[in-house]
Amino acid sequence: TTATRRYAKKQMQWFRKEKQFVFVPVPIDEPKISRVQAAVEIINNMCTMTREKYEEELLVPATKKEEEMPLSARTKFANEKQGKGMKFYQFQRHILKPG
């Protein structure tokens, strides 16, 4: 529904403002078990990082190219691009015909 989309968009705006929030990429085109395993591996790696490396991961450098950014920054950047497309919902009507 429209209210759900608005709420999801608002949540992402809140998360983007929060400096300590870490974005974990989850590829939606893979099977569920692969997505979960990939997310667990990323979170596990972050939990075992040194404090300095973790702080570096949270930084979103304005001057670096996207491929040079830390994983969380790249995911945040991709999320912001995706969020811009969430502004408008184009309803498409589908007419079902008996087969």
Side-chain angles (χ1 to χ4, degrees), residues 24-42:
V24 176
V26 179
I28 58 173
D29 56 341
E30 293 184 17
K32 184 177 181 178
I33 189 70
S34 299
R35 293 188 311 241
V36 171
Q37 288 173 340
V40 166
E41 185 177 322
I42 291 168

Side-chain angles (χ1 to χ4, degrees), residues 2-78:
T2 302
T4 304
R5 265 190 312 282
R6 284 185 194 147
Y7 186 67
K9 186 176 178 200
K10 195 54 114 173
Q11 280 183 323
M12 294 314 298
Q13 289 173 344
W14 296 330
F15 292 144
R16 281 188 220 116
K17 290 178 186 175
E18 181 60 46
K19 300 294 181 201
Q20 296 298 313
F21 188 83
V22 175
F23 285 85
V24 176
V26 179
I28 58 173
D29 56 341
E30 293 184 17
K32 184 177 181 178
I33 189 70
S34 299
R35 293 188 311 241
V36 171
Q37 288 173 340
V40 166
E41 185 177 322
I42 291 168
I43 293 167
N44 188 35
N45 287 341
M46 289 188 149
C47 289
T48 58
M49 284 181 182
T50 64
R51 182 69 178 183
E52 292 79 24
K53 183 73 176 160
Y54 180 77
E55 295 287 337
E56 193 176 294
E57 181 69 30
L58 293 177
L59 291 177
V60 181
T63 57
K64 283 191 175 182
K65 296 177 185 173
E66 185 177 348
E67 58 272 359
E68 295 174 358
M69 292 180 181
L71 180 63
S72 180
R74 285 194 315 265
T75 307
K76 184 176 182 179
F77 184 72

Side-chain angles (χ1 to χ4, degrees), residues 70-89:
L71 180 63
S72 180
R74 285 194 315 265
T75 307
K76 184 176 182 179
F77 184 72
N79 181 278
E80 288 172 356
K81 284 197 282 190
Q82 178 189 19
K84 291 177 184 174
M86 293 176 68
K87 289 182 181 177
F88 303 102
Y89 176 71

